Amino acid sequence: MEGRREDPNGSLSRGLLLVEPYCGFVPILGGEKVPGLVQFALDSAASFFRSLTLKEVIGAFWAPFSIFAGAFSAFAFNNRRATRERIDKEVIEGNLALSVLMKFLNHQFLYKRNYIDPHQGAPDAWFRIMPGPPLDNGIRVELNKNNLGFLLQSSGAVWQQTMIEEERYHQVKGAIENRNALLEKAWQKLEEAGFEHGSKIPASEIEKALGPVLFQQLKQISEALIEQVTLNVLSSGEAMTALRTDLVRMYPGRPFINAVLPPSSPPNPPSVATAKPASEAEIARARKGHRQPTGRYIPHEKGE
């Protein structure tokens, strides 16, 4: 509604008037503050809330509360599920790492027991150890480094120890393969010199038949291999124990693989520990009836 009012200076101004049931005509534009309108709003709000029932009040507050509670519950559930899945994955990766360490330990332990221990204590053990199959039997064994990253957050030393054991294992594997190749060359020369497999051959005769270069290569790699395998059997067991201890601490109540090794052979078999150097007669008998690498007897010895 449009009306006129007189300003403080006596002049009239035009503005909009509101028909207010309590205060009459109250200007809302082009004039002063409107306390009548504020009072009207407060009275209207009070009247509205007085008209509400308890059920309506609860319903008004319940709707936003239920939305918030549902969203929070969904977030908490998803968070718990993600945490459970992460822990399950890390437990699986930890057990897989323990399994690989167990393979490192078992392969080297069996090589030591079957090839090194029977000649333990013999002065020519470096030469008497026979060539064997590949350490991993042709099946590559390695750790999944990317999936073991969670160990870095809890124990970087355990992670590093585990990685080093893998390097040591592959170094031994390479040393065995190199020694097998050198031993094959060595026996070709020994057969040409008139020696048979399994015969007692003095180190001086071996060096004479092989030559100084091949003799030193074979001797050094064999001695290093004996030492490294012996140390690796101990360190691999220690690494596996450290990793399992750390995993049990991180995830109590979860099952983890434990190492069970087969029994060891006697460290010093009497037949080897008491072996005597070969005599001249034994060396002569070893030369007799030998074969060339082609498998044929030497003509002048045929029929002897």
Side-chain angles (χ1 to χ4, degrees):
M1 174 177 185
E2 190 175 71
R4 299 206 289 179
R5 67 182 178 84
E6 185 175 354
D7 60 13
N9 297 326
S11 61
L12 294 178
S13 62
R14 300 176 65 84
L16 295 178
L17 300 180
L18 175 66
V19 180
E20 212 277 343
Y22 301 99
C23 304
F25 292 96
V26 180
I28 62 173
L29 290 176
E32 301 85 0
K33 296 180 180 180
V34 284
L37 180 60
V38 174
Q39 185 63 40
F40 170 73
L42 293 175
D43 292 344
S44 299
S47 176
F48 171 75
F49 283 111
R50 282 194 299 269
S51 65
L52 293 177
T53 63
L54 179 61
K55 182 178 180 180
E56 291 173 336
V57 173
I58 295 175
F61 283 99
W62 179 256
F65 174 77
S66 61
I67 294 174
F68 171 79
F72 179 80
S73 300
F75 172 78
F77 174 78
N78 290 332
N79 186 54
R80 287 195 303 270
R81 183 178 64 179
T83 301
R84 184 174 63 252
E85 291 176 351
R86 176 184 60 81
I87 292 176
D88 290 343
K89 183 176 182 297
E90 292 175 357
V91 169
I92 292 173
E93 294 298 335
N95 273 314
L96 289 175
L98 288 172
S99 177
V100 173
L101 283 178
M102 181 61 196
K103 290 181 179 179
F104 292 164
L105 174 59
N106 186 59
H107 290 172
Q108 296 176 99
F109 175 83
L110 292 178
Y111 183 85
K112 179 178 180 296
R113 189 186 69 175
N114 297 332
Y115 292 91
I116 296 177
D117 287 350
H119 306 290
Q120 190 74 26
D124 59 347
W126 62 270
F127 178 74
R128 293 173 64 85
I129 297 174
M130 298 302 294
L135 191 62
D136 56 4
N137 295 318
I139 302 174
R140 183 167 179 81
V141 182
E142 60 183 2
L143 291 164
N144 192 334
K145 302 177 182 63
N146 295 331
N147 292 342
L148 291 176
F150 67 92
L151 286 175
L152 289 171
Q153 301 177 2
S154 61
S155 180
V158 173
W159 185 89
Q160 186 67 24
Q161 186 178 10
T162 304
M163 297 301 110
I164 290 176
E165 285 308 311
E166 181 180 33
E167 294 180 2
R168 289 171 175 167
Y169 173 82
H170 288 295
Q171 287 174 353
V172 167
K173 178 177 178 292
I176 291 174
E177 293 172 353
N178 291 336
R179 182 182 180 276
N180 288 348
L182 291 174
L183 198 60
E184 182 180 359
K185 294 180 181 179
W187 270 110
Q188 288 177 358
K189 291 181 176 294
L190 288 171
E191 286 179 346
E192 292 173 359
F195 294 99
E196 288 185 332
H197 284 274
S199 59
K200 297 178 181 180
I201 311 173
S204 58
E205 294 291 332
I206 297 175
E207 184 175 7
K208 186 186 300 182
L210 302 185
V213 176
L214 181 57
F215 176 81
Q216 287 298 326
Q217 287 179 337
L218 182 59
K219 188 173 187 294
Q220 289 178 4
I221 196 171
S222 299
E223 291 177 346
L225 178 63
I226 294 171
E227 180 182 9
Q228 192 62 43
V229 169
T230 303
L231 294 175
N232 281 8
V233 169
L234 298 176
S235 62
S236 294
E238 292 172 355
M240 186 173 181
T241 300
L243 176 59
R244 189 177 188 279
T245 301
D246 200 54
L247 290 171
V248 170
R249 177 186 60 81
M250 293 169 60
Y251 310 108
R254 295 298 188 97
F256 291 102
I257 297 173
N258 202 0
V260 178
L261 290 175
S264 301
S265 59
N268 294 304
S271 60
V272 174
T274 60
K276 298 180 180 180
S279 63
E280 293 295 332
E282 290 175 331
I283 295 175
R285 285 197 299 270
R287 292 177 181 272
K288 196 172 184 179
H290 71 276
R291 293 176 181 270
Q292 294 279 33
T294 57
R296 298 177 180 178
Y297 282 97
I298 295 178
H300 72 275
E301 294 184 347
K302 187 174 182 182
E304 291 186 2

